[in-house]
Amino acid sequence: MNQMKEKIQALKREKNAAILAHYYVPEEVQEVADYIGDSYYLASLAAKIKETTLVFCGVSFMGESAKALNPEKTVLMPDTGADCPMAHMAAQDKIKMVREMYEDVAVVCYVNSTAELKACSDVCVTSSNALKIVKALPNKRIYFIPDENLGRYIASFLPEKEFIFNDGFCHVHASLGGEEVKKAKNAWPKAKILAHPECRPEVLKEADYIGSTAGIIDYAAKSSENKFIICTEKGVMAELKKKNPDKIFHMPGRSMCCADMKKNTLEKLVCVLETGENEIHLPEKLRAAAEKPLKSMLELAK
Ligand code: 13P
Ligand code: SF4
């Protein structure tokens, strides 16, 4: 393992590459990353990195966003088969239909979406900035794609807006039920419940804090409490434990695992650094169209 990590460091220098990783990738991959964070941090950061090659350890929509925002850079992914099923759970035809029905609608697209869906949208959001951005939009009517749970959670703070929801969901977060959270709460009554907004409403109802992966990590680090029940994918446990060695973290039920994120292995990382394979390419017309709502997000989230 150490040999492989040394090899990665040497290859990075040789290829002028930086490694970006999401909190859900395996711990050993997080350990070799130059930058690790939530979707918003990683999307906003890619534009500031001086290296000419970005190796994105995450799922396709993250690599695509990095490429859309940095067309001059080479973006590689350890496994191009690492895809987020929710990213495909909205339809371009439906967006067109909603736009025809409501002239004043803003199509708000969670970044967990394909470049094609982003290209048909007005603005992108992540779980860490969705509320701020949707609130700032002048439009009363919002079509929120693809995640229904995040959309409904945001809508609960904005009674002045009219939301149209889409029935997309994250199968990993949706696998957690309210009963499992209640059981965890009974087992560890003093623990604070921290949940990702992709969870079902019945889970969010039990939560003391709701936020992105980075938000959850930050909340636990700043809290004076020392026990937490973590309702998101198990990859965040690495950073939570690293930042808070004296605090205790539990996961309710069977811990949630995103099989796509786990496709990012050290072996594949070495391979793409060596060969330059798995480069992300977007046709220029699509790239430019997907870049627009991403740039609007970066502007509005400031
Ligand atoms: P974050 O933006 O909170 O990192 O979430 C990304 C994701 O895929 C959640 O399932
Ligand atoms: Fe997609 Fe869910 Fe995996 Fe996040 S955890 S990448 S939303 S499948």
Side-chain angles (χ1 to χ4, degrees):
M1 177 89 85
N2 278 347
Q3 242 178 345
M4 190 135 48
K5 286 183 178 171
E6 278 165 26
K7 195 169 178 183
I8 289 171
Q9 297 310 326
L11 279 166
K12 257 179 12 186
R13 284 191 294 274
E14 187 193 320
K15 310 281 178 170
N16 192 22
I19 300 175
L20 285 73
H22 188 265
Y23 288 123
Y24 294 164
V25 301
E27 187 169 355
E28 60 276 15
V29 175
Q30 295 187 35
E31 282 167 6
V32 296
D34 299 294
Y35 305 95
I36 163 163
D38 68 1
S39 309
Y40 175 62
Y41 172 73
L42 294 172
S44 61
L45 187 86
K48 297 173 198 146
I49 293 174
K50 61 179 188 325
E51 282 85 355
T52 50
T53 295
L54 308 177
V55 185
F56 214 117
C57 304
V59 285
S60 319
F61 75 80
M62 296 178 172
E64 281 183 354
S65 296
K67 184 67 188 176
L69 288 163
N70 303 277
E72 75 293 348
K73 297 210 175 180
T74 301
V75 179
L76 307 177
M77 295 195 73
D79 188 331
T80 46
D83 196 4
C84 169
M86 178 164 63
H88 304 267
M89 291 184 190
Q92 294 178 51
D93 287 358
K94 174 85 187 282
I95 298 175
K96 211 170 150 221
M97 197 182 87
V98 171
R99 284 199 190 278
E100 277 163 12
M101 279 169 77
Y102 308 105
E103 250 179 46
D104 62 333
V105 72
V107 180
V108 176
C109 184
Y110 187 28
V111 281
N112 295 37
S113 51
T114 59
E116 285 79 3
L117 288 173
K118 288 185 178 81
C120 313
S121 303
D122 296 306
V123 65
C124 286
V125 296
T126 73
S127 52
S128 66
N129 59 35
L131 181 57
K132 181 175 177 184
I133 290 177
V134 177
K135 194 172 179 181
L137 292 176
N139 314 61
K140 185 173 167 151
R141 207 180 303 267
I142 306 292
Y143 181 34
F144 196 97
I145 60 165
D147 188 21
E148 180 168 2
N149 288 338
L150 176 62
R152 289 195 184 274
Y153 172 66
I154 297 305
S156 70
F157 294 95
L158 302 169
E160 71 278 17
K161 306 249 180 204
E162 273 173 38
F163 277 75
I164 304 161
F165 299 108
N166 172 77
D167 59 4
F169 63 94
C170 162
H171 68 102
V172 178
H173 286 83
S175 69
L176 179 66
E179 279 312 308
E180 285 164 301
V181 179
K182 280 185 195 147
K183 264 191 204 155
K185 206 172 172 178
N186 284 338
W188 305 293
K190 290 207 174 120
K192 293 283 167 209
I193 300 180
L194 317 185
H196 196 279
E198 286 175 15
C199 290
R200 294 165 185 244
E202 72 204 50
V203 170
L204 298 183
K205 204 171 79 188
E206 304 296 328
D208 297 293
Y209 172 79
I210 298 167
S212 74
T213 50
I216 288 173
I217 291 165
D218 196 45
Y219 182 95
K222 290 185 179 145
S223 170
S224 55
E225 303 289 331
N226 77 338
K227 282 195 190 69
F228 302 91
I229 295 166
I230 304 298
C231 304
T232 190
E233 208 272 351
K234 66 180 185 180
V236 296
M237 294 297 249
E239 189 73 7
L240 281 169
K241 286 178 183 163
K242 195 166 104 192
K243 284 213 166 116
N244 309 282
D246 301 328
K247 296 186 178 180
I248 298 164
F249 300 98
H250 301 287
M251 299 206 82
R254 295 164 292 107
S255 59
M256 289 183 249
C257 179
C258 177
D260 281 282
M261 286 285 190
K262 303 306 183 226
K263 288 179 182 167
N264 292 276
T265 62
L266 282 184
E267 288 80 0
K268 291 178 196 167
L269 182 49
V270 170
C271 183
V272 290
L273 277 167
E274 275 176 342
T275 63
E277 278 171 7
N278 290 359
E279 185 175 347
I280 304 297
H281 294 285
L282 290 174
E284 179 49 26
K285 202 170 158 208
L286 174 62
R287 187 207 64 77
E291 183 186 28
K292 269 194 201 163
L294 281 165
K295 280 210 161 152
S296 300
M297 169 182 83
L298 296 178
E299 197 50 45
L300 287 165
K302 268 182 197 162

